[in-house]
Amino acid sequence: MEKISKCNINGTNSGKSIRFNTMYLVKIALLSAIAYIIFLFEFPLPYFPPFLEIDFSDTVAILGGIILGPMAAVIIQFIKNLLRLLLMNSGTGGIGELANLLVGIAYVLPFCLIFRRNNLKRFITGSVAAIIIMTVTAGLVNYFINIPVYLGSTPHAEKMNMIYSFYIPFNLIKGVIVTIASYVAVKAFKQVINKLQ
């Protein structure tokens, strides 16, 4: 897996180290731009409130994590949401982007830490861990951030009812769908991944 070489304080870095730094940043920028574009194409799932939408931008972050390491997946999630905040008026004042960032990191980071390419067992283990952690994180984010911001003071019982009725089922289904898409993407771009690593 490609690593970023740290700058030598004596200024003796080789051209190869500088090239690795540059290539890493170029790959991050490219994948972040692709993730942002895909992020724009959100769609709701049947039987859920229309404000709960799914997209496949996390799949790009997963590919970035496989190619460049888990931290790259986190950076892609951050840039994707920053671009959305700066270039689009989502009407959430940044709260939606913050929530998406936290939930997205909760999915891609454990997945990329556990998964190893061409290892189905680790893919399944990483997927299950990622979906569980993402679902728990989404519940906490909605309880402490989204519901208070959008609905104001809400009784604990009502919050929990919303989380159990909508947010947990939605994120479980979303996690499964995105994981399947990620598996298909990894298989489809296997040769590209081999060259970029």
Side-chain angles (χ1 to χ4, degrees):
M1 198 166 286
E2 183 176 316
K3 296 180 180 178
I4 304 178
S5 300
K6 294 182 179 179
C7 293
N8 188 301
I9 59 175
N10 296 319
T12 58
N13 256 28
S14 66
K16 186 176 181 180
S17 297
I18 295 173
R19 182 174 63 84
F20 280 178
N21 278 302
T22 302
M23 288 305 298
Y24 182 90
L25 294 175
V26 168
K27 291 172 185 177
I28 288 284
L30 178 61
L31 289 169
S32 298
I34 294 172
Y36 168 69
I37 292 171
I38 294 176
F39 193 18
L40 300 178
F41 296 95
E42 297 177 295
F43 58 92
L45 292 178
Y47 309 112
F48 289 101
F51 58 84
L52 293 177
E53 295 183 310
I54 185 173
D55 67 88
F56 293 105
S57 60
D58 288 343
T59 297
V60 181
I62 290 293
L63 292 175
I66 294 171
I67 296 167
L68 302 170
M71 189 50 62
V74 174
I75 296 172
I76 291 168
Q77 291 283 23
F78 176 79
I79 295 176
K80 173 190 78 174
N81 282 282
L82 180 61
L83 288 172
R84 183 180 174 91
L85 177 63
L86 295 176
L87 301 178
M88 287 187 62
N89 180 15
S90 63
T92 66
I95 299 301
E97 287 76 16
L98 174 61
N100 189 280
L101 174 63
L102 295 175
V103 174
I105 290 175
Y107 174 74
V108 300
L109 187 57
F111 185 101
C112 292
L113 287 171
I114 296 171
F115 173 60
R116 295 293 181 273
R117 188 165 43 87
N118 296 329
N119 188 318
L120 182 59
K121 182 178 179 181
R122 292 184 72 91
F123 182 92
I124 294 172
T125 303
S127 300
V128 171
I131 291 170
I132 292 173
I133 294 172
M134 179 189 72
T135 301
V136 172
T137 302
L140 294 172
V141 167
N142 282 292
Y143 186 92
F144 290 106
I145 300 177
N146 285 350
I147 295 175
V149 168
Y150 296 124
L151 299 181
S153 180
T154 306
H156 169 75
E158 188 173 339
K159 285 183 181 180
M160 295 307 297
N161 181 59
M162 293 176 64
I163 288 170
Y164 284 124
S165 299
F166 300 122
Y167 294 112
I168 289 179
F170 173 81
N171 281 284
L172 287 173
I173 295 172
K174 174 185 175 181
V176 171
I177 293 174
V178 172
T179 296
I180 293 172
S182 298
Y183 182 79
V184 172
V186 169
K187 289 296 184 181
F189 295 103
K190 182 170 66 174
Q191 297 302 323
V192 177
I193 292 171
N194 289 337
K195 292 180 180 179
L196 291 177
Q197 283 185 312

